[in-house]
Each structure stands twice: as structure tokens, then as C-alpha cells.
Amino acid sequence: MKKLGNTSLNCPPIIFGGNVFGWTANKKESYKLMDEMLDLGINMIDSADVYSRWATGNKGGESERIIGEYLKDRKNREDLIIATKVGSSMQQGGDKDISEAHVIVAIEDSLKRLKTDYVDLYFTHWDDNKTPVEETLGAYEKLIKQGKVRYIGASNLSPERLQESLDAARTNNLPKYEVFQPEYSLAVRDKYEGKTKQICMDNNLGVTGYFSLASGFLTGKYQSEEDIKGTDRQQFLKSYFDERGKKILKALKDISDHHNISQAAIALRWIMQRPGITAPIASASKPEHLQSFKEAMNMDLSTEEMEKLNQASR
């Protein structure tokens, strides 16, 4: 367990991505995943109010609703760290919104779906690029005082807006973002490394990267563009099959063959051993997918293996 930034939350080595609940995992499957996840010692779920609006027949809130029903049925709210997010529109193509008015309403909707009176970590999901940072932080201050939110975090903010938010918190004595959630994997390093990473390290922010397996690309299941033609993965994965992508897959295969474990486990372990990272977020839609989580938590990559992956993914 690692401490999540300056919070009192102890984060497991891998955080479970709740975007699959109500999308690629139905209610029964989601319950099974959460039971098995807890058995592995993974006690943190990352969700959002908008998950999983994009799936046919969904309207958003499905993930939170399933988590809430699970917490009620299992009576285990205190055993779990629940993170959720605000800022996306519940309407397809709608505007992002982190105004105080929206935040205050959105938390009530999330708490109702989650069947709880507080969330451990509440994220600004996306920037709307118009609300003053002081207004958003002021809304969070009210929610923290009311006991509805314990800590706040930010996801997908530009380095400039992240820095502006941290400065405003300091200057105006407002709650500070304690966790940052960027997209981060062997396939996508530039959205975190550089300015954002420096800001996170300078301010001791916990960092929980999402898309850790690059939408399945890093599992090695897909070896070429032919493998993804006509699948729902095509739009996410087509850009990865370049020379760099092939180098990454080869390095992963070499190391996973050597250890006789999955490529997904190696890809997760690489993130776990990167400086400044608290834990990767990863999803599974079938209990057998959790095997790679277990493998990643029970091994270490050598300095040479880390360097081989660093080089391949440069």
C-alpha cells in the first residue's frame, strides 16, 4: 500500500477501473469482479458520473449505480476507497461543466447512485476552460465541510490549469488537489511526463494513471491492424501500430516470456515502478483478467528490464 499524496488514504498497488461496470460487465459479473478484486487486496475503485454513457442503451451513472448496489448488498462501504468524477456532460456531445452550480448538483446525484453519504476522492474529470479555478475549488470546499467529499483530485487538466489551481488553493486557503490522474502507459507517456510530472512531484500529488494497458494494446492480444479491423477497439488502437508500437510489443513479449507471465502484468508493473507514480488504474471485464493484476503485484522488473521498456517506448 502507498499513501496517496498528502491524503490519509492508503492506495493499493493497482486501482480497479470501474468504467466496465454496466458496460462490458453486467451487474452480476461486476459483483463477482469486485468480490475477487477485494480478495486480491485491491480496495479502491475509480469511477465517474458519466460511466458508461457511451454504451448502447446507457445514459450515464451505470457504474456508480452498480457500485452503490454492491456496497449496500455487501454492507462493506468502509472496506473500499471510492473515487468518482464530475465535469463531463451526461448528454452525448454536451458541454463540460465544473461550475459551482453543476458540482453541487452532480455530487448529490453521485451519492444517491453510490448509496453512500460521502466519496473518498472527488475528481475534476475534464476542464471546461471557462470556470475560474477559485469557483471550482470553492464548491469543493463546501462539499468537504459538509462531509460529502474527503479529498479532491484532478484529471486531464493542462499543466497550466493544474498549476493555476494549486496556486489559487495556496493563495486563497482553498482545498488543494491531492491527486492527479493522467493518461499514462508505455504507449502514451507524453501526456504526463514533462511539465505535468514536475508539478505533481513538486507538490507531492498522488498520481493514478488511466488507460494503463492502452485500451488492450499492451496485452499483446492484437499484433497488427488486421487483428482489430471491424472491432470496437479499432478507433482506440489503430494509431498504436507504428514502428514504436511494434518495438514496445516486442520488448513486452521478451520480458513476459522470460518471467512466464502475461504482457499485461509487465505493462502494469512498469508503471508501478516508474518514479512519481502511486498506482495504475486498470479494468477487467472477466475474473480471469485479474490474473495479470496478481502477477504484476507479485513480481519486480530488474533495472535492465525497466531500461529495455523505457528505450522501446521513447
Side-chain angles (χ1 to χ4, degrees):
M1 294 275 183
K2 276 188 184 176
K3 205 159 168 293
L4 203 45
N6 292 315
T7 74
S8 63
L9 303 172
N10 287 315
C11 175
I14 296 171
I15 297 163
F16 194 92
N19 59 329
V20 293
F21 302 145
W23 175 30
T24 52
N26 62 29
K27 182 177 170 178
K28 187 181 172 188
E29 291 163 337
S30 299
Y31 273 39
K32 190 166 170 42
L33 283 164
M34 285 187 268
D35 283 342
E36 298 203 5
M37 168 196 96
L38 280 169
D39 287 345
L40 282 178
I42 295 171
N43 66 335
M44 182 169 176
I45 301 174
D46 178 82
S47 189
D49 55 2
V50 76
Y51 295 167
S52 46
R53 184 202 63 203
W54 53 84
T56 309
N58 281 4
K59 55 182 192 289
E62 289 79 13
S63 170
E64 289 181 333
R65 206 167 281 115
I66 287 174
I67 294 166
E69 286 164 5
Y70 176 82
L71 296 175
K72 187 185 173 197
D73 289 353
R74 297 287 191 267
K75 298 183 173 55
N76 63 353
R77 172 67 185 95
E78 298 305 311
D79 298 339
L80 282 150
I81 297 170
I82 303 293
T84 195
K85 308 185 193 77
V86 60
S88 287
S89 173
M90 297 301 255
Q91 275 72 50
Q92 192 71 39
D95 291 335
K96 297 173 176 67
D97 191 349
I98 51 169
S99 66
E100 178 172 350
H102 179 70
V103 169
I104 299 293
V105 171
I107 188 69
E108 296 303 334
D109 292 342
S110 284
L111 292 175
K112 200 176 292 173
R113 288 188 289 262
L114 288 164
K115 299 190 190 305
T116 183
D117 49 12
Y118 71 97
V119 292
D120 298 286
L121 190 50
Y122 201 37
F123 280 97
T124 298
H125 198 172
W126 295 95
D127 199 349
D128 63 11
N129 295 309
K130 60 182 185 203
T131 303
V133 296
E134 293 83 359
E135 180 181 331
T136 307
L137 296 175
Y140 292 144
E141 182 178 39
K142 289 179 182 173
L143 300 182
I144 290 167
K145 280 182 175 161
Q146 290 164 5
K148 292 171 182 174
V149 168
R150 291 181 68 195
Y151 300 102
I152 57 169
S155 182
N156 305 303
L157 292 194
S158 68
E160 292 73 25
R161 278 281 269 194
L162 176 59
Q163 187 64 62
E164 190 187 343
S165 301
L166 294 167
D167 292 343
R170 210 168 283 123
T171 308
N172 302 290
N173 200 26
L174 289 165
K176 156 182 171 285
Y177 289 133
E178 300 290 359
V179 184
F180 190 68
Q181 188 178 123
E183 180 177 352
Y184 191 60
S185 70
L186 274 163
V188 178
R189 292 173 58 176
D190 58 347
K191 290 187 181 178
Y192 168 62
E193 293 179 8
K195 273 189 196 170
T196 299
K197 178 182 173 184
Q198 197 55 53
I199 293 168
C200 291
M201 293 186 84
D202 288 347
N203 293 275
N204 195 34
L205 302 193
V207 178
T208 60
Y210 70 88
F211 279 175
S212 302
L213 296 174
S215 300
F217 172 72
L218 298 170
T219 64
K221 183 180 172 185
Y222 314 100
Q223 290 298 319
S224 69
E225 282 194 73
E226 283 302 306
D227 295 347
I228 55 165
K229 274 214 170 116
T231 71
D232 59 355
R233 299 268 169 185
Q234 189 168 355
Q235 57 173 345
F236 294 113
L237 298 183
K238 59 184 183 215
S239 65
Y240 295 141
F241 289 103
D242 55 11
E243 280 313 303
R244 177 174 172 268
K246 287 172 191 163
K247 274 187 202 163
I248 293 169
L249 289 183
K250 183 178 184 315
L252 279 172
K253 185 173 188 323
D254 290 349
I255 296 168
S256 70
D257 285 352
H258 175 70
H259 288 277
N260 197 26
I261 60 175
S262 64
Q263 287 183 212
I266 302 297
L268 289 172
R269 188 71 212 181
W270 175 81
I271 299 173
M272 291 159 75
Q273 289 184 214
R274 292 291 288 155
I277 297 284
T278 314
I281 297 166
S283 303
S285 46
K286 295 185 177 68
E288 55 266 30
H289 294 165
L290 289 169
Q291 179 60 25
S292 63
F293 293 20
K294 192 175 178 179
E295 290 170 345
M297 293 193 300
N298 289 318
M299 64 96 56
D300 283 300
L301 289 168
S302 68
T303 308
E304 292 74 26
E305 288 167 335
M306 285 296 287
E307 190 48 36
K308 183 171 182 169
L309 291 165
N310 291 343
Q311 288 293 346
S313 59
R314 282 224 157 85

